[in-house]
């Protein structure tokens, strides 16, 4: 909120650069009114030209403005107490709900002042003390390029007010430090959101970048430990829809810039954590960048344009038997039944993958499952059970209709009906009747029913949970293998077993999907793929197999 009309912070181009603090706005002179004295901006052309550069955001500048409830403090050594708060201002005359900030303001102090100059202080929005400044460890920015609340989070400044006839002129000099973040993601950007930025100061003794600091005519006193000190500051970025700021593929000030207020000083290290959502799962994960020997200068703004690596899912979430989600650390007495592939949003259901199989074609010891076939007996003429049949690898990867194939009768032909209820439709029936450790119920839509996932939904899981880095480009058939996809199988399996309540690793075998490929073939995901006769535990294949064959495994998915 506090963009001082009397100063603008310049952002030099490039990463980790500093710029000068610009000041001043022209404002009409206001004579003393009764027993009040006016304090206003220095209006001399020299001062204005020296300190003003522009009045709008350009990507290289951060302007300051006044908002409602801003006030000043005057230090009058001849008075008791010496610090006196301004009694009024003209801000309210110029702001409105649609235009809540103004570039110019003037303040009145009770009494008559005759000294050649006085020091005035700004100690934050709705300030109640002229000798304290609180830099908040929890900050929020609603929209990109609009740090509208920094006056509440520690923005502050001082000025020498000089007598000019019947009023005093001053130019505010900012005393907090600022960092503006403009992260981008050159690989995978555009579909990624940033939900918060966290800065942690390191060193011994542990430095305080937030807290309630003593404030003097020269600024923030960082030599004295503040009250409620904190070495961390978190800035939450909401966005217009409260899902965060978009992380673009290249730096874009207007797209996602956000500004944090910090205590000035020299720090042996500053660790910046960008909480970036995975482009598929939408689960936020921290991505860190450490800077060493960093000096944050009073009144200066540092611009950090970091190329965030493509997000991985370190903040894995699980679906519990009561329909809620959370991390393992948050589970309490709840029982995990599935792992989140796509998190729920305001407009989209979430998607999760069961922690254990419903059939085990590989004959894994200790798994009491019978291997299953996709549909009816092998070799039956016109055995086409999906009304929608795919004809290319591109088509099967794009197929996200596992729920429809399992539960919608219109997706079936040749009398299959609702395949999830048809005991002859073996793989579908097994998935639809997945037995979780406890029942799960939801209301409305497609949520709460287990189903046989499509190829595209399996691919989502491999990307999110298995860090899939490549997909097969063609199909394999009955021992004739072609290209393979790659993923981190050990990592993916560790997520299934982490809850410690019956989660099962993936078979070294094939998993049925609900996607049909041509007339007589169903699609399988072949774990432990083979290419050129060589198997790899971190490979997988797309397999077309006769829908009456027996042997594949089944693992159910669910919407929540």
């Amino acid at each position: 909120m506090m963009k001082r009309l009397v100063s603008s912070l310049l952002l030099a181009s490039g990463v980790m650069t500093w710029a000068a603090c610009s000041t001043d706005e022209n404002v009409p002179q206001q004579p003393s009114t009764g027993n009040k004295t006016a304090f206003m901006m220095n209006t001399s052309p020299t001062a204005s030209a020296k300190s003003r550069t522009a009045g709008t955001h350009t990507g290289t500048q951060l302007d300051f403005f006044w908002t409602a409830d801003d006030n000043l403090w005057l230090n009058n050594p001849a008075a008791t107490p010496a610090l006196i708060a301004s009694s009024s201002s003209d801000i309210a005359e110029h702001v409105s709900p649609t235009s809540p900030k103004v570039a110019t303001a003037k303040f009145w102090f009770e009494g008559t002042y005759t000294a050649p100059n006085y020091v005035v202080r700004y100690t934050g929005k709705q300030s109640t003390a002229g000798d304290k400044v609180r830099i908040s460890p929890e900050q929020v920015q609603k929209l990109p390029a609009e740090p509208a609340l920094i006056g509440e989070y520690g923005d502050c400044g001082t000025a020498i007010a000089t007598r000019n006839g019947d009023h005093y002129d001053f130019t505010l000099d900012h005393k907090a430090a600022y960092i503006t973040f403009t992260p981008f993601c050159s690989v995978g950007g555009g579909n990624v959101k940033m939900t918060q930025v966290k800065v942690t100061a390191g060193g011994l003794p542990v430095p305080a970048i937030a807290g309630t600091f003593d404030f003097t005519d020269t600024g923030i006193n960082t030599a004295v430990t503040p009250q409620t000190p904190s070495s961390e500051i978190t800035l939450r970025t909401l966005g217009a829809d409260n899902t965060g700021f978009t992380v673009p593929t290249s730096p874009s000030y207007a797209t996602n810039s956000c500004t944090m207020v910090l205590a000035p000083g020299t720090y042996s290290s500053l660790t910046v954590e960008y909480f970036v959502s995975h482009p598929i799962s939408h689960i936020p994960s921290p991505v860190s960048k450490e800077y060493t020997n960093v000096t944050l200068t009073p009144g200066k703004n540092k611009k950090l344009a970091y190329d965030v690596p493509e997000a991985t899912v370190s903040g894995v979430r699980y679906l519990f038997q009561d329909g809620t989600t959370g991390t393992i650390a948050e589970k309490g007495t709840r029982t995990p039944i599935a792992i989140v592939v796509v998190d729920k949003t305001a407009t989209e259901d979430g998607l999760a993958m069961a922690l254990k199989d419903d059939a085990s074609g590989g004959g894994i010891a200790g798994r009491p499952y019978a291997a299953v076939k996709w549909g009816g007996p092998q070799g039956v003429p016109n055995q086409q059970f999906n009304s929608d049949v795919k004809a290319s690898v591109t088509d099967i990867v794009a197929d996200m209709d596992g729920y429809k194939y399992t539960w919608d009768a219109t997706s079936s032909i040749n009398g299959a009906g609702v395949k999830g209820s048809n005991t002859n439709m073996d793989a579908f029936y097994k998935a639809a009747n997945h037995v979780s450790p406890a029942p799960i119920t939801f209301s409305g839509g497609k949520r709460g029913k287990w189903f046989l996932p499509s190829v595209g939904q399996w691919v989502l899981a491999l990307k999110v949970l298995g860090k899939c880095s490549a997909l097969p480009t063609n199909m394999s058939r009955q021992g004739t293998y072609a290209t393979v996809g790659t993923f981190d199988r050990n990592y993916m399996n560790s997520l299934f077993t982490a809850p410690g309540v019956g989660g099962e690793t993936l078979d070294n075998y094939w998993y049925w999907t609900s996607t049909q490929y041509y007339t007589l073939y169903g699609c399988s995901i072949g774990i432990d793929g083979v290419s050129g006769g060589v198997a790899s535990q971190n490979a997988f294949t797309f397999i077309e197999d006769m829908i009456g064959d027996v042997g594949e495994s089944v693992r159910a998915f669910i919407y929540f």
Side-chain angles (χ1 to χ4, degrees), residues 78-307:
T80 302
L83 290 173
I84 304 167
S86 56
S87 59
S88 61
S89 76
D90 69 342
I91 299 173
E93 301 172 18
H94 304 292
V95 298
S96 68
T98 58
S99 181
K101 59 189 180 182
V102 293
T104 60
K106 47 198 169 191
F107 300 83
W108 286 272
F109 289 84
E110 297 289 344
T112 301
Y113 299 90
T114 59
N117 53 66
Y118 295 94
V119 174
V120 293
R121 305 177 184 179
Y122 173 73
T123 56
K125 183 179 174 69
Q126 295 180 318
S127 169
T128 58
D131 60 352
K132 300 287 183 183
V133 166
R134 181 179 183 269
I135 296 179
S136 176
E138 300 290 336
Q139 303 179 22
V140 176
Q141 186 166 325
K142 174 65 176 177
L143 298 175
E146 289 292 336
L149 300 177
I150 60 175
E152 299 179 21
Y153 300 143
D155 186 26
C156 57
T158 66
I160 296 177
T162 302
R163 187 172 180 83
N164 183 4
D166 59 358
H167 70 278
Y168 286 81
D169 295 330
F170 70 90
T171 298
L172 197 67
D173 185 14
H174 287 262
K175 297 300 182 181
Y178 314 85
I179 299 178
T180 293
F181 306 93
T182 54
F184 63 102
C185 185
S186 57
V187 180
N191 296 319
V192 179
K193 291 289 189 78
M194 175 180 67
T195 56
Q196 67 182 41
V197 182
K198 180 180 178 181
V199 174
T200 303
L204 292 174
V206 177
I209 56 175
T212 301
F213 293 83
D214 291 340
F215 193 77
T216 70
D217 287 348
T218 59
I220 298 173
N221 184 359
T222 57
V224 177
T225 301
Q227 300 172 26
T228 60
S230 175
S231 62
E232 300 176 348
I233 297 177
T234 298
L235 171 61
R236 291 193 297 125
T237 49
L238 302 182
D241 59 358
N242 291 322
T243 63
F245 291 1
T246 297
V247 180
T249 56
S250 60
S252 172
Y253 190 81
T255 300
N256 71 347
S257 66
C258 56
T259 301
M260 178 183 289
V261 186
L262 309 90
T266 297
Y267 303 97
S268 59
S269 72
L270 286 181
T271 300
V272 180
E273 288 183 283
Y274 300 90
F275 286 75
V276 180
S277 64
H278 190 280
I280 296 173
S281 71
H282 311 307
I283 299 173
S285 303
V287 178
S288 299
K289 171 69 174 178
E290 183 178 1
Y291 302 92
T292 58
N293 300 319
V294 179
T295 297
L296 301 178
T297 304
K300 299 289 184 70
N301 187 33
K302 184 182 290 291
K303 181 180 178 181
L304 299 181
Y306 178 55
D307 188 355

Side-chain angles (χ1 to χ4, degrees), residues 384-391 395 399 401 404-405 410-413 514-518:
Q384 181 177 323
F385 293 116
N386 281 357
S387 57
D388 183 12
V389 178
K390 308 302 180 183
D395 290 341
D399 186 5
D401 288 330
K404 183 182 75 172
Y405 301 138
T410 64
S411 71
S412 302
I413 63 173
S514 54
T515 300
Q516 192 168 350
Y517 189 70
Y518 287 112

Side-chain angles (χ1 to χ4, degrees), residues 538-557:
N538 291 323
F540 68 96
T541 51
F542 295 148
I543 300 171
E544 51 179 293
D545 199 6
M546 295 291 290
I547 58 180
D549 280 353
V550 174
E552 272 80 342
S553 302
V554 170
R555 187 166 296 215
F557 280 44

Side-chain angles (χ1 to χ4, degrees), residues 442-459:
F442 296 92
S443 60
K446 57 192 175 186
R447 289 175 288 147
K449 288 185 177 181
W450 298 97
F451 64 89
L452 186 65
S454 62
V455 170
Q457 290 164 328
W458 252 101
V459 167

